[in-house]
Amino acid sequence: AHAIEHATSNRLYQGRTFSASGLAGAYWYAQKHFEEAAQLLSVARESAPPFGSERREAAYYMLDARARASGGLSREDRLILQDEIERGLVLLRYGASPSGKTQRFLGGLFQLSGDSLRSTEYHRQADEKGFAKLVTPRHVLNPDSIEPLHDR
């Protein structure tokens, strides 16, 4: 309940729709309770449409939370990461992302994969559309501010 109150009072969430698990996961992520966030964001990812940008968003935060909780991405996490990148690329190839949301979270997913060149390109595209300025966490805007994630 506190997570939903937080989201409805936060300007970053206004005008956007999220599942209850996504809202709660975002709240715990912001509180740096990464294990709890990852569990809830996993549910949010699974409940989102397979090619919807909401799925990329939940996947990014879920995988980032898992990496922060455990010090890296597992083999299973890397497979999920690759699948979500491929789905995001298909979405851009055959769909549209006028808001820049898909580009923003593809940039984050490429960052988690260690591909800083593609990460920077997709973050730039999202920024040009105005999306990154609204919701991008500091560590994504400045990838040099965090240590690279390693496999565990």
PDB file of all heavy atoms in Angstrom, residues 31-69:
ATOM      1  N   GLN A  31      14.227   2.086  -2.563  1.00  0.00           N
ATOM      2  CA  GLN A  31      14.658   1.984  -1.171  1.00  0.00           C
ATOM      3  C   GLN A  31      15.928   1.145  -1.021  1.00  0.00           C
ATOM      4  O   GLN A  31      16.395   0.913   0.094  1.00  0.00           O
ATOM      5  CB  GLN A  31      13.531   1.371  -0.310  1.00  0.00           C
ATOM      6  CG  GLN A  31      12.243   2.178  -0.319  1.00  0.00           C
ATOM      7  CD  GLN A  31      12.444   3.568   0.225  1.00  0.00           C
ATOM      8  OE1 GLN A  31      13.070   3.761   1.259  1.00  0.00           O
ATOM      9  NE2 GLN A  31      11.932   4.558  -0.486  1.00  0.00           N
ATOM     10  N   LYS A  32      16.441   0.646  -2.149  1.00  0.00           N
ATOM     11  CA  LYS A  32      17.651  -0.187  -2.185  1.00  0.00           C
ATOM     12  C   LYS A  32      17.466  -1.543  -1.503  1.00  0.00           C
ATOM     13  O   LYS A  32      18.420  -2.140  -1.012  1.00  0.00           O
ATOM     14  CB  LYS A  32      18.860   0.556  -1.619  1.00  0.00           C
ATOM     15  CG  LYS A  32      19.225   1.800  -2.398  1.00  0.00           C
ATOM     16  CD  LYS A  32      20.480   2.426  -1.867  1.00  0.00           C
ATOM     17  CE  LYS A  32      20.983   3.652  -2.556  1.00  0.00           C
ATOM     18  NZ  LYS A  32      20.358   4.231  -3.656  1.00  0.00           N
ATOM     19  N   HIS A  33      16.258  -2.041  -1.510  1.00  0.00           N
ATOM     20  CA  HIS A  33      15.953  -3.402  -1.053  1.00  0.00           C
ATOM     21  C   HIS A  33      15.864  -4.263  -2.316  1.00  0.00           C
ATOM     22  O   HIS A  33      14.780  -4.582  -2.795  1.00  0.00           O
ATOM     23  CB  HIS A  33      14.641  -3.433  -0.265  1.00  0.00           C
ATOM     24  CG  HIS A  33      14.718  -2.740   1.055  1.00  0.00           C
ATOM     25  ND1 HIS A  33      14.940  -3.420   2.223  1.00  0.00           N
ATOM     26  CD2 HIS A  33      14.634  -1.428   1.380  1.00  0.00           C
ATOM     27  CE1 HIS A  33      14.979  -2.549   3.223  1.00  0.00           C
ATOM     28  NE2 HIS A  33      14.796  -1.335   2.733  1.00  0.00           N
ATOM     29  N   PHE A  34      17.029  -4.600  -2.837  1.00  0.00           N
ATOM     30  CA  PHE A  34      17.095  -5.179  -4.169  1.00  0.00           C
ATOM     31  C   PHE A  34      16.544  -6.594  -4.274  1.00  0.00           C
ATOM     32  O   PHE A  34      15.983  -6.955  -5.304  1.00  0.00           O
ATOM     33  CB  PHE A  34      18.523  -5.088  -4.703  1.00  0.00           C
ATOM     34  CG  PHE A  34      18.980  -3.669  -4.876  1.00  0.00           C
ATOM     35  CD1 PHE A  34      20.063  -3.188  -4.167  1.00  0.00           C
ATOM     36  CD2 PHE A  34      18.304  -2.800  -5.714  1.00  0.00           C
ATOM     37  CE1 PHE A  34      20.488  -1.878  -4.309  1.00  0.00           C
ATOM     38  CE2 PHE A  34      18.705  -1.481  -5.874  1.00  0.00           C
ATOM     39  CZ  PHE A  34      19.803  -1.016  -5.164  1.00  0.00           C
ATOM     40  N   GLU A  35      16.681  -7.419  -3.250  1.00  0.00           N
ATOM     41  CA  GLU A  35      16.124  -8.781  -3.322  1.00  0.00           C
ATOM     42  C   GLU A  35      14.604  -8.730  -3.430  1.00  0.00           C
ATOM     43  O   GLU A  35      14.010  -9.429  -4.256  1.00  0.00           O
ATOM     44  CB  GLU A  35      16.561  -9.603  -2.117  1.00  0.00           C
ATOM     45  CG  GLU A  35      18.022 -10.000  -2.177  1.00  0.00           C
ATOM     46  CD  GLU A  35      18.442 -10.854  -0.993  1.00  0.00           C
ATOM     47  OE1 GLU A  35      17.588 -11.549  -0.405  1.00  0.00           O
ATOM     48  OE2 GLU A  35      19.644 -10.836  -0.678  1.00  0.00           O
ATOM     49  N   GLU A  36      13.970  -7.911  -2.586  1.00  0.00           N
ATOM     50  CA  GLU A  36      12.517  -7.776  -2.622  1.00  0.00           C
ATOM     51  C   GLU A  36      12.078  -7.183  -3.953  1.00  0.00           C
ATOM     52  O   GLU A  36      11.110  -7.636  -4.571  1.00  0.00           O
ATOM     53  CB  GLU A  36      12.006  -6.895  -1.478  1.00  0.00           C
ATOM     54  CG  GLU A  36      12.218  -7.467  -0.099  1.00  0.00           C
ATOM     55  CD  GLU A  36      13.583  -7.116   0.513  1.00  0.00           C
ATOM     56  OE1 GLU A  36      14.505  -6.676  -0.207  1.00  0.00           O
ATOM     57  OE2 GLU A  36      13.720  -7.311   1.738  1.00  0.00           O
ATOM     58  N   ALA A  37      12.804  -6.166  -4.412  1.00  0.00           N
ATOM     59  CA  ALA A  37      12.475  -5.521  -5.681  1.00  0.00           C
ATOM     60  C   ALA A  37      12.546  -6.524  -6.828  1.00  0.00           C
ATOM     61  O   ALA A  37      11.644  -6.580  -7.667  1.00  0.00           O
ATOM     62  CB  ALA A  37      13.420  -4.352  -5.941  1.00  0.00           C
ATOM     63  N   ALA A  38      13.602  -7.324  -6.865  1.00  0.00           N
ATOM     64  CA  ALA A  38      13.784  -8.282  -7.959  1.00  0.00           C
ATOM     65  C   ALA A  38      12.639  -9.289  -8.023  1.00  0.00           C
ATOM     66  O   ALA A  38      12.157  -9.617  -9.117  1.00  0.00           O
ATOM     67  CB  ALA A  38      15.114  -9.010  -7.807  1.00  0.00           C
ATOM     68  N   GLN A  39      12.189  -9.762  -6.876  1.00  0.00           N
ATOM     69  CA  GLN A  39      11.087 -10.728  -6.860  1.00  0.00           C
ATOM     70  C   GLN A  39       9.812 -10.110  -7.430  1.00  0.00           C
ATOM     71  O   GLN A  39       9.118 -10.713  -8.246  1.00  0.00           O
ATOM     72  CB  GLN A  39      10.842 -11.223  -5.440  1.00  0.00           C
ATOM     73  CG  GLN A  39      11.954 -12.081  -4.912  1.00  0.00           C
ATOM     74  CD  GLN A  39      11.802 -12.405  -3.426  1.00  0.00           C
ATOM     75  OE1 GLN A  39      10.819 -12.056  -2.801  1.00  0.00           O
ATOM     76  NE2 GLN A  39      12.794 -13.074  -2.873  1.00  0.00           N
ATOM     77  N   LEU A  40       9.490  -8.900  -6.994  1.00  0.00           N
ATOM     78  CA  LEU A  40       8.277  -8.237  -7.461  1.00  0.00           C
ATOM     79  C   LEU A  40       8.379  -7.841  -8.930  1.00  0.00           C
ATOM     80  O   LEU A  40       7.413  -7.968  -9.689  1.00  0.00           O
ATOM     81  CB  LEU A  40       7.990  -7.006  -6.595  1.00  0.00           C
ATOM     82  CG  LEU A  40       7.561  -7.331  -5.170  1.00  0.00           C
ATOM     83  CD1 LEU A  40       7.749  -6.136  -4.263  1.00  0.00           C
ATOM     84  CD2 LEU A  40       6.110  -7.812  -5.155  1.00  0.00           C
ATOM     85  N   LEU A  41       9.542  -7.390  -9.333  1.00  0.00           N
ATOM     86  CA  LEU A  41       9.727  -6.991 -10.731  1.00  0.00           C
ATOM     87  C   LEU A  41       9.719  -8.189 -11.671  1.00  0.00           C
ATOM     88  O   LEU A  41       9.336  -8.069 -12.830  1.00  0.00           O
ATOM     89  CB  LEU A  41      11.005  -6.174 -10.875  1.00  0.00           C
ATOM     90  CG  LEU A  41      10.908  -4.793 -10.207  1.00  0.00           C
ATOM     91  CD1 LEU A  41      12.293  -4.193 -10.014  1.00  0.00           C
ATOM     92  CD2 LEU A  41      10.005  -3.865 -10.999  1.00  0.00           C
ATOM     93  N   SER A  42      10.084  -9.354 -11.169  1.00  0.00           N
ATOM     94  CA  SER A  42       9.978 -10.571 -11.964  1.00  0.00           C
ATOM     95  C   SER A  42       8.517 -10.860 -12.288  1.00  0.00           C
ATOM     96  O   SER A  42       8.172 -11.207 -13.427  1.00  0.00           O
ATOM     97  CB  SER A  42      10.604 -11.750 -11.214  1.00  0.00           C
ATOM     98  OG  SER A  42      10.440 -12.939 -11.943  1.00  0.00           O
ATOM     99  N   VAL A  43       7.653 -10.684 -11.294  1.00  0.00           N
ATOM    100  CA  VAL A  43       6.208 -10.871 -11.512  1.00  0.00           C
ATOM    101  C   VAL A  43       5.704  -9.831 -12.504  1.00  0.00           C
ATOM    102  O   VAL A  43       4.933 -10.143 -13.421  1.00  0.00           O
ATOM    103  CB  VAL A  43       5.434 -10.791 -10.176  1.00  0.00           C
ATOM    104  CG1 VAL A  43       3.929 -10.796 -10.403  1.00  0.00           C
ATOM    105  CG2 VAL A  43       5.849 -11.922  -9.246  1.00  0.00           C
ATOM    106  N   ALA A  44       6.138  -8.589 -12.352  1.00  0.00           N
ATOM    107  CA  ALA A  44       5.720  -7.520 -13.266  1.00  0.00           C
ATOM    108  C   ALA A  44       6.157  -7.827 -14.698  1.00  0.00           C
ATOM    109  O   ALA A  44       5.395  -7.632 -15.648  1.00  0.00           O
ATOM    110  CB  ALA A  44       6.294  -6.184 -12.805  1.00  0.00           C
ATOM    111  N   ARG A  45       7.370  -8.315 -14.846  1.00  0.00           N
ATOM    112  CA  ARG A  45       7.877  -8.661 -16.182  1.00  0.00           C
ATOM    113  C   ARG A  45       7.043  -9.762 -16.813  1.00  0.00           C
ATOM    114  O   ARG A  45       6.648  -9.669 -17.970  1.00  0.00           O
ATOM    115  CB  ARG A  45       9.338  -9.098 -16.070  1.00  0.00           C
ATOM    116  CG  ARG A  45       9.922  -9.570 -17.379  1.00  0.00           C
ATOM    117  CD  ARG A  45      11.364 -10.076 -17.193  1.00  0.00           C
ATOM    118  NE  ARG A  45      11.731 -10.886 -18.323  1.00  0.00           N
ATOM    119  CZ  ARG A  45      11.625 -12.218 -18.376  1.00  0.00           C
ATOM    120  NH1 ARG A  45      11.191 -12.900 -17.339  1.00  0.00           N
ATOM    121  NH2 ARG A  45      11.972 -12.875 -19.464  1.00  0.00           N
ATOM    122  N   GLU A  46       6.775 -10.806 -16.047  1.00  0.00           N
ATOM    123  CA  GLU A  46       6.015 -11.935 -16.580  1.00  0.00           C
ATOM    124  C   GLU A  46       4.574 -11.564 -16.915  1.00  0.00           C
ATOM    125  O   GLU A  46       3.964 -12.177 -17.793  1.00  0.00           O
ATOM    126  CB  GLU A  46       6.041 -13.106 -15.604  1.00  0.00           C
ATOM    127  CG  GLU A  46       7.389 -13.779 -15.495  1.00  0.00           C
ATOM    128  CD  GLU A  46       7.856 -14.374 -16.818  1.00  0.00           C
ATOM    129  OE1 GLU A  46       7.039 -14.945 -17.567  1.00  0.00           O
ATOM    130  OE2 GLU A  46       9.062 -14.255 -17.114  1.00  0.00           O
ATOM    131  N   SER A  47       4.022 -10.577 -16.228  1.00  0.00           N
ATOM    132  CA  SER A  47       2.624 -10.204 -16.469  1.00  0.00           C
ATOM    133  C   SER A  47       2.476  -9.161 -17.580  1.00  0.00           C
ATOM    134  O   SER A  47       1.367  -8.895 -18.024  1.00  0.00           O
ATOM    135  CB  SER A  47       1.968  -9.692 -15.179  1.00  0.00           C
ATOM    136  OG  SER A  47       2.572  -8.485 -14.759  1.00  0.00           O
ATOM    137  N   ALA A  48       3.586  -8.603 -18.051  1.00  0.00           N
ATOM    138  CA  ALA A  48       3.539  -7.592 -19.112  1.00  0.00           C
ATOM    139  C   ALA A  48       3.467  -8.277 -20.481  1.00  0.00           C
ATOM    140  O   ALA A  48       3.950  -9.399 -20.645  1.00  0.00           O
ATOM    141  CB  ALA A  48       4.773  -6.704 -19.033  1.00  0.00           C
ATOM    142  N   PRO A  49       2.881  -7.599 -21.465  1.00  0.00           N
ATOM    143  CA  PRO A  49       2.852  -8.169 -22.822  1.00  0.00           C
ATOM    144  C   PRO A  49       4.277  -8.454 -23.313  1.00  0.00           C
ATOM    145  O   PRO A  49       5.191  -7.644 -23.077  1.00  0.00           O
ATOM    146  CB  PRO A  49       2.207  -7.060 -23.660  1.00  0.00           C
ATOM    147  CG  PRO A  49       1.448  -6.218 -22.692  1.00  0.00           C
ATOM    148  CD  PRO A  49       2.221  -6.297 -21.399  1.00  0.00           C
ATOM    149  N   PRO A  50       4.488  -9.583 -23.994  1.00  0.00           N
ATOM    150  CA  PRO A  50       5.840  -9.995 -24.393  1.00  0.00           C
ATOM    151  C   PRO A  50       6.618  -8.954 -25.193  1.00  0.00           C
ATOM    152  O   PRO A  50       7.828  -8.872 -25.076  1.00  0.00           O
ATOM    153  CB  PRO A  50       5.609 -11.254 -25.234  1.00  0.00           C
ATOM    154  CG  PRO A  50       4.270 -11.741 -24.851  1.00  0.00           C
ATOM    155  CD  PRO A  50       3.481 -10.554 -24.406  1.00  0.00           C
ATOM    156  N   PHE A  51       5.937  -8.158 -25.999  1.00  0.00           N
ATOM    157  CA  PHE A  51       6.642  -7.169 -26.807  1.00  0.00           C
ATOM    158  C   PHE A  51       6.313  -5.742 -26.383  1.00  0.00           C
ATOM    159  O   PHE A  51       6.613  -4.796 -27.097  1.00  0.00           O
ATOM    160  CB  PHE A  51       6.373  -7.389 -28.301  1.00  0.00           C
ATOM    161  CG  PHE A  51       7.090  -8.604 -28.813  1.00  0.00           C
ATOM    162  CD1 PHE A  51       6.465  -9.836 -28.817  1.00  0.00           C
ATOM    163  CD2 PHE A  51       8.399  -8.525 -29.252  1.00  0.00           C
ATOM    164  CE1 PHE A  51       7.139 -10.969 -29.261  1.00  0.00           C
ATOM    165  CE2 PHE A  51       9.078  -9.646 -29.694  1.00  0.00           C
ATOM    166  CZ  PHE A  51       8.444 -10.871 -29.700  1.00  0.00           C
ATOM    167  N   GLY A  52       5.734  -5.581 -25.208  1.00  0.00           N
ATOM    168  CA  GLY A  52       5.439  -4.248 -24.708  1.00  0.00           C
ATOM    169  C   GLY A  52       6.655  -3.611 -24.054  1.00  0.00           C
ATOM    170  O   GLY A  52       7.517  -4.302 -23.507  1.00  0.00           O
ATOM    171  N   SER A  53       6.742  -2.297 -24.116  1.00  0.00           N
ATOM    172  CA  SER A  53       7.883  -1.607 -23.508  1.00  0.00           C
ATOM    173  C   SER A  53       7.878  -1.754 -21.988  1.00  0.00           C
ATOM    174  O   SER A  53       8.936  -1.690 -21.354  1.00  0.00           O
ATOM    175  CB  SER A  53       7.902  -0.134 -23.906  1.00  0.00           C
ATOM    176  OG  SER A  53       6.707   0.504 -23.527  1.00  0.00           O
ATOM    177  N   GLU A  54       6.695  -2.004 -21.403  1.00  0.00           N
ATOM    178  CA  GLU A  54       6.631  -2.209 -19.950  1.00  0.00           C
ATOM    179  C   GLU A  54       7.435  -3.430 -19.536  1.00  0.00           C
ATOM    180  O   GLU A  54       8.009  -3.471 -18.457  1.00  0.00           O
ATOM    181  CB  GLU A  54       5.178  -2.378 -19.475  1.00  0.00           C
ATOM    182  CG  GLU A  54       4.328  -1.144 -19.660  1.00  0.00           C
ATOM    183  CD  GLU A  54       3.780  -0.989 -21.080  1.00  0.00           C
ATOM    184  OE1 GLU A  54       3.924  -1.933 -21.912  1.00  0.00           O
ATOM    185  OE2 GLU A  54       3.242   0.083 -21.366  1.00  0.00           O
ATOM    186  N   ARG A  55       7.478  -4.421 -20.415  1.00  0.00           N
ATOM    187  CA  ARG A  55       8.257  -5.625 -20.112  1.00  0.00           C
ATOM    188  C   ARG A  55       9.751  -5.309 -20.091  1.00  0.00           C
ATOM    189  O   ARG A  55      10.489  -5.795 -19.240  1.00  0.00           O
ATOM    190  CB  ARG A  55       7.948  -6.724 -21.126  1.00  0.00           C
ATOM    191  CG  ARG A  55       8.620  -8.035 -20.778  1.00  0.00           C
ATOM    192  CD  ARG A  55       8.199  -9.117 -21.748  1.00  0.00           C
ATOM    193  NE  ARG A  55       8.956 -10.314 -21.544  1.00  0.00           N
ATOM    194  CZ  ARG A  55       8.468 -11.449 -21.038  1.00  0.00           C
ATOM    195  NH1 ARG A  55       7.207 -11.506 -20.678  1.00  0.00           N
ATOM    196  NH2 ARG A  55       9.227 -12.505 -20.908  1.00  0.00           N
ATOM    197  N   ARG A  56      10.222  -4.481 -21.042  1.00  0.00           N
ATOM    198  CA  ARG A  56      11.638  -4.087 -21.034  1.00  0.00           C
ATOM    199  C   ARG A  56      11.970  -3.322 -19.755  1.00  0.00           C
ATOM    200  O   ARG A  56      13.021  -3.504 -19.163  1.00  0.00           O
ATOM    201  CB  ARG A  56      11.985  -3.158 -22.195  1.00  0.00           C
ATOM    202  CG  ARG A  56      11.893  -3.557 -23.644  1.00  0.00           C
ATOM    203  CD  ARG A  56      12.532  -4.795 -24.138  1.00  0.00           C
ATOM    204  NE  ARG A  56      11.801  -5.991 -23.793  1.00  0.00           N
ATOM    205  CZ  ARG A  56      10.573  -6.310 -24.248  1.00  0.00           C
ATOM    206  NH1 ARG A  56       9.932  -5.554 -25.064  1.00  0.00           N
ATOM    207  NH2 ARG A  56       9.997  -7.426 -23.853  1.00  0.00           N
ATOM    208  N   GLU A  57      11.061  -2.453 -19.336  1.00  0.00           N
ATOM    209  CA  GLU A  57      11.287  -1.671 -18.126  1.00  0.00           C
ATOM    210  C   GLU A  57      11.401  -2.571 -16.896  1.00  0.00           C
ATOM    211  O   GLU A  57      12.344  -2.467 -16.115  1.00  0.00           O
ATOM    212  CB  GLU A  57      10.156  -0.662 -17.934  1.00  0.00           C
ATOM    213  CG  GLU A  57      10.306   0.210 -16.716  1.00  0.00           C
ATOM    214  CD  GLU A  57       9.239   1.287 -16.620  1.00  0.00           C
ATOM    215  OE1 GLU A  57       8.236   1.236 -17.354  1.00  0.00           O
ATOM    216  OE2 GLU A  57       9.425   2.192 -15.798  1.00  0.00           O
ATOM    217  N   ALA A  58      10.434  -3.480 -16.742  1.00  0.00           N
ATOM    218  CA  ALA A  58      10.468  -4.395 -15.597  1.00  0.00           C
ATOM    219  C   ALA A  58      11.701  -5.287 -15.655  1.00  0.00           C
ATOM    220  O   ALA A  58      12.345  -5.542 -14.633  1.00  0.00           O
ATOM    221  CB  ALA A  58       9.192  -5.234 -15.559  1.00  0.00           C
ATOM    222  N   ALA A  59      12.054  -5.752 -16.862  1.00  0.00           N
ATOM    223  CA  ALA A  59      13.230  -6.614 -17.020  1.00  0.00           C
ATOM    224  C   ALA A  59      14.501  -5.874 -16.624  1.00  0.00           C
ATOM    225  O   ALA A  59      15.355  -6.428 -15.917  1.00  0.00           O
ATOM    226  CB  ALA A  59      13.340  -7.109 -18.461  1.00  0.00           C
ATOM    227  N   TYR A  60      14.633  -4.638 -17.080  1.00  0.00           N
ATOM    228  CA  TYR A  60      15.836  -3.878 -16.736  1.00  0.00           C
ATOM    229  C   TYR A  60      15.982  -3.743 -15.224  1.00  0.00           C
ATOM    230  O   TYR A  60      17.030  -4.063 -14.660  1.00  0.00           O
ATOM    231  CB  TYR A  60      15.827  -2.486 -17.390  1.00  0.00           C
ATOM    232  CG  TYR A  60      16.887  -1.612 -16.775  1.00  0.00           C
ATOM    233  CD1 TYR A  60      18.234  -1.833 -17.083  1.00  0.00           C
ATOM    234  CD2 TYR A  60      16.573  -0.643 -15.833  1.00  0.00           C
ATOM    235  CE1 TYR A  60      19.228  -1.090 -16.467  1.00  0.00           C
ATOM    236  CE2 TYR A  60      17.563   0.107 -15.223  1.00  0.00           C
ATOM    237  CZ  TYR A  60      18.883  -0.118 -15.545  1.00  0.00           C
ATOM    238  OH  TYR A  60      19.869   0.602 -14.928  1.00  0.00           O
ATOM    239  N   TYR A  61      14.931  -3.266 -14.567  1.00  0.00           N
ATOM    240  CA  TYR A  61      15.042  -3.048 -13.124  1.00  0.00           C
ATOM    241  C   TYR A  61      15.174  -4.368 -12.363  1.00  0.00           C
ATOM    242  O   TYR A  61      15.892  -4.451 -11.375  1.00  0.00           O
ATOM    243  CB  TYR A  61      13.868  -2.221 -12.606  1.00  0.00           C
ATOM    244  CG  TYR A  61      14.008  -0.765 -12.968  1.00  0.00           C
ATOM    245  CD1 TYR A  61      13.141  -0.159 -13.848  1.00  0.00           C
ATOM    246  CD2 TYR A  61      15.040   0.000 -12.432  1.00  0.00           C
ATOM    247  CE1 TYR A  61      13.274   1.177 -14.193  1.00  0.00           C
ATOM    248  CE2 TYR A  61      15.196   1.333 -12.774  1.00  0.00           C
ATOM    249  CZ  TYR A  61      14.304   1.922 -13.645  1.00  0.00           C
ATOM    250  OH  TYR A  61      14.462   3.243 -13.979  1.00  0.00           O
ATOM    251  N   MET A  62      14.508  -5.429 -12.843  1.00  0.00           N
ATOM    252  CA  MET A  62      14.630  -6.736 -12.203  1.00  0.00           C
ATOM    253  C   MET A  62      16.070  -7.228 -12.278  1.00  0.00           C
ATOM    254  O   MET A  62      16.655  -7.650 -11.275  1.00  0.00           O
ATOM    255  CB  MET A  62      13.699  -7.745 -12.880  1.00  0.00           C
ATOM    256  CG  MET A  62      13.834  -9.165 -12.348  1.00  0.00           C
ATOM    257  SD  MET A  62      13.103 -10.411 -13.429  1.00  0.00           S
ATOM    258  CE  MET A  62      14.340 -10.542 -14.718  1.00  0.00           C
ATOM    259  N   LEU A  63      16.653  -7.188 -13.480  1.00  0.00           N
ATOM    260  CA  LEU A  63      18.018  -7.683 -13.656  1.00  0.00           C
ATOM    261  C   LEU A  63      19.031  -6.814 -12.915  1.00  0.00           C
ATOM    262  O   LEU A  63      19.982  -7.333 -12.313  1.00  0.00           O
ATOM    263  CB  LEU A  63      18.354  -7.771 -15.145  1.00  0.00           C
ATOM    264  CG  LEU A  63      17.584  -8.850 -15.910  1.00  0.00           C
ATOM    265  CD1 LEU A  63      17.749  -8.671 -17.413  1.00  0.00           C
ATOM    266  CD2 LEU A  63      17.999 -10.244 -15.461  1.00  0.00           C
ATOM    267  N   ASP A  64      18.832  -5.506 -12.933  1.00  0.00           N
ATOM    268  CA  ASP A  64      19.729  -4.626 -12.193  1.00  0.00           C
ATOM    269  C   ASP A  64      19.634  -4.905 -10.693  1.00  0.00           C
ATOM    270  O   ASP A  64      20.649  -4.964 -10.003  1.00  0.00           O
ATOM    271  CB  ASP A  64      19.408  -3.162 -12.496  1.00  0.00           C
ATOM    272  CG  ASP A  64      20.452  -2.224 -11.939  1.00  0.00           C
ATOM    273  OD1 ASP A  64      21.643  -2.393 -12.270  1.00  0.00           O
ATOM    274  OD2 ASP A  64      20.083  -1.322 -11.158  1.00  0.00           O
ATOM    275  N   ALA A  65      18.413  -5.115 -10.205  1.00  0.00           N
ATOM    276  CA  ALA A  65      18.224  -5.426  -8.781  1.00  0.00           C
ATOM    277  C   ALA A  65      18.884  -6.759  -8.423  1.00  0.00           C
ATOM    278  O   ALA A  65      19.546  -6.872  -7.389  1.00  0.00           O
ATOM    279  CB  ALA A  65      16.739  -5.451  -8.434  1.00  0.00           C
ATOM    280  N   ARG A  66      18.724  -7.764  -9.286  1.00  0.00           N
ATOM    281  CA  ARG A  66      19.367  -9.058  -9.030  1.00  0.00           C
ATOM    282  C   ARG A  66      20.878  -8.908  -8.992  1.00  0.00           C
ATOM    283  O   ARG A  66      21.554  -9.494  -8.129  1.00  0.00           O
ATOM    284  CB  ARG A  66      18.980 -10.069 -10.110  1.00  0.00           C
ATOM    285  CG  ARG A  66      17.586 -10.601  -9.979  1.00  0.00           C
ATOM    286  CD  ARG A  66      17.306 -11.622 -11.064  1.00  0.00           C
ATOM    287  NE  ARG A  66      15.966 -12.174 -10.951  1.00  0.00           N
ATOM    288  CZ  ARG A  66      15.470 -13.066 -11.792  1.00  0.00           C
ATOM    289  NH1 ARG A  66      16.198 -13.529 -12.801  1.00  0.00           N
ATOM    290  NH2 ARG A  66      14.244 -13.519 -11.626  1.00  0.00           N
ATOM    291  N   ALA A  67      21.427  -8.153  -9.928  1.00  0.00           N
ATOM    292  CA  ALA A  67      22.880  -7.961  -9.969  1.00  0.00           C
ATOM    293  C   ALA A  67      23.367  -7.228  -8.723  1.00  0.00           C
ATOM    294  O   ALA A  67      24.404  -7.578  -8.157  1.00  0.00           O
ATOM    295  CB  ALA A  67      23.267  -7.192 -11.231  1.00  0.00           C
ATOM    296  N   ARG A  68      22.631  -6.242  -8.285  1.00  0.00           N
ATOM    297  CA  ARG A  68      23.025  -5.486  -7.100  1.00  0.00           C
ATOM    298  C   ARG A  68      22.893  -6.334  -5.833  1.00  0.00           C
ATOM    299  O   ARG A  68      23.701  -6.203  -4.914  1.00  0.00           O
ATOM    300  CB  ARG A  68      22.202  -4.205  -6.989  1.00  0.00           C
ATOM    301  CG  ARG A  68      22.560  -3.196  -8.054  1.00  0.00           C
ATOM    302  CD  ARG A  68      21.585  -2.026  -8.069  1.00  0.00           C
ATOM    303  NE  ARG A  68      21.886  -1.132  -9.145  1.00  0.00           N
ATOM    304  CZ  ARG A  68      22.760  -0.134  -9.075  1.00  0.00           C
ATOM    305  NH1 ARG A  68      23.422   0.092  -7.962  1.00  0.00           N
ATOM    306  NH2 ARG A  68      22.979   0.635 -10.114  1.00  0.00           N
ATOM    307  N   ALA A  69      21.886  -7.194  -5.793  1.00  0.00           N
ATOM    308  CA  ALA A  69      21.674  -8.038  -4.611  1.00  0.00           C
ATOM    309  C   ALA A  69      22.735  -9.130  -4.505  1.00  0.00           C
ATOM    310  O   ALA A  69      23.129  -9.509  -3.404  1.00  0.00           O
ATOM    311  CB  ALA A  69      20.280  -8.663  -4.646  1.00  0.00           C
TER     312      ALA A  69
END
